[in-house]
Amino acid sequence: MSKNILIVDDDKEIVNLIDISVKNEGFTTYLASNGKEALQLMNSYTIHLIILDIMMPEMDGLEFCQKVRLESSIPILMLSAKVEDWDKITGLMTGADDYMTKPFNALELIVRVKALIRRTYYLNQQVYEKKEIIRLGSLEINKSKYIASFNNVKMKLTSKEFEILFLLASHKGQIFSSEDIFQMIWKEKYYETNNTVMVHISNLREKLEKTMGYKCIHTVWGVGYKIEG
């Protein structure tokens, strides 16, 4: 089944470039020039992935991302003309799953889009086949439905946060380093200066503790992270 991609950017040339690139790969596209238009499209169509610019009029990408995360774990690839690390961290903390700096290579964009689609909708249905549902006390993590809930209350996690939670919960008590998590979830080479895992763990831990009322993910200083039920 073709996946629907929502492209949100006020730069028409960028939108046209992305639109043509993803359509050539068989995806269906919907276009918006700001966050307000994008929310309207999301209310009308089923969207499987969002390519989102940060700097836009009326409603910027960060505000839009926050609103999406209130209701959905749909994968979000964020774009920005800024190159500072803080902008990337802010984007990831807001709920983005991946981040690219403009100008970008169209081929790399497609590779990242396909990777997000594969991990969210295909790969995640195959990994840990014998562990589709994990229960740690009142915490239930359903891999087939891509839902994590506590006392039957669904938690609003990004796709990467869900994957990290499922990975740690699948190996209760086992310590995973940042490098382990990055390579298993992002499937890319890890660099020591990469703080992506730290940001996602921080966001995930905050959401879990807010919902559950106690600490679930523990840091083993100098080693990595583990989950305890």
Side-chain angles (χ1 to χ4, degrees), residues 28-197:
T28 300
T29 60
Y30 296 92
L31 313 179
S33 60
N34 59 63
K36 288 184 177 180
E37 291 180 8
L39 287 176
Q40 292 174 352
L41 287 170
M42 291 192 69
N43 288 330
S44 302
Y45 303 97
T46 298
I47 303 297
H48 299 101
L49 180 140
I50 301 170
I51 300 175
L52 176 66
D53 183 40
I54 291 182
M55 303 299 293
M56 295 181 296
E58 295 192 55
M59 182 189 293
D60 65 21
L62 296 177
E63 183 181 354
F64 171 73
C65 190
Q66 289 175 327
K67 289 183 179 296
V68 170
R69 283 294 172 252
L70 292 174
E71 303 293 338
S72 173
S73 298
I74 180 174
I76 296 176
L77 171 58
M78 190 166 279
L79 306 175
S80 175
K82 298 183 179 181
V83 296
E84 290 83 359
D85 286 342
W86 182 246
D87 294 300
K88 179 175 182 178
I89 293 172
T90 302
L92 293 172
M93 290 183 69
T94 305
D97 296 285
D98 202 354
Y99 185 101
M100 291 186 70
T101 303
K102 297 178 180 179
F104 54 84
N105 181 290
L107 180 59
E108 181 183 356
L109 176 78
I110 292 300
V111 169
R112 295 200 185 202
V113 165
K114 287 184 174 181
L116 283 172
I117 291 287
R118 183 176 66 252
R119 292 167 194 155
T120 304
Y121 301 103
Y122 300 113
L123 184 60
N124 289 325
Q125 297 173 10
Q126 300 172 18
V127 225
Y128 311 128
E129 289 182 351
K130 295 182 180 179
K131 294 182 178 179
E132 291 209 354
I133 298 179
I134 298 173
R135 294 182 179 87
L136 298 176
S138 298
L139 174 64
E140 180 176 293
I141 310 163
N142 190 315
K143 191 70 172 180
S144 60
K145 294 183 179 179
Y146 227 65
I147 292 174
S149 58
F150 183 76
N151 285 332
N152 296 319
V153 177
K154 179 182 175 183
M155 286 184 275
K156 299 177 175 64
L157 305 178
T158 70
S159 58
K160 287 292 188 297
E161 289 166 357
F162 181 92
E163 289 174 28
I164 292 172
L165 175 61
F166 190 84
L167 172 65
L168 296 179
S170 298
H171 303 82
K172 180 180 172 183
Q174 181 176 334
I175 301 172
F176 287 84
S177 67
S178 293
E179 181 176 359
D180 292 334
I181 295 172
F182 189 83
Q183 290 181 341
M184 294 180 75
I185 301 300
W186 276 265
K187 310 294 184 185
E188 298 174 9
K189 185 177 180 180
Y190 178 82
Y191 296 94
E192 290 185 5
T193 55
N194 192 326
N195 53 18
T196 301
V197 171

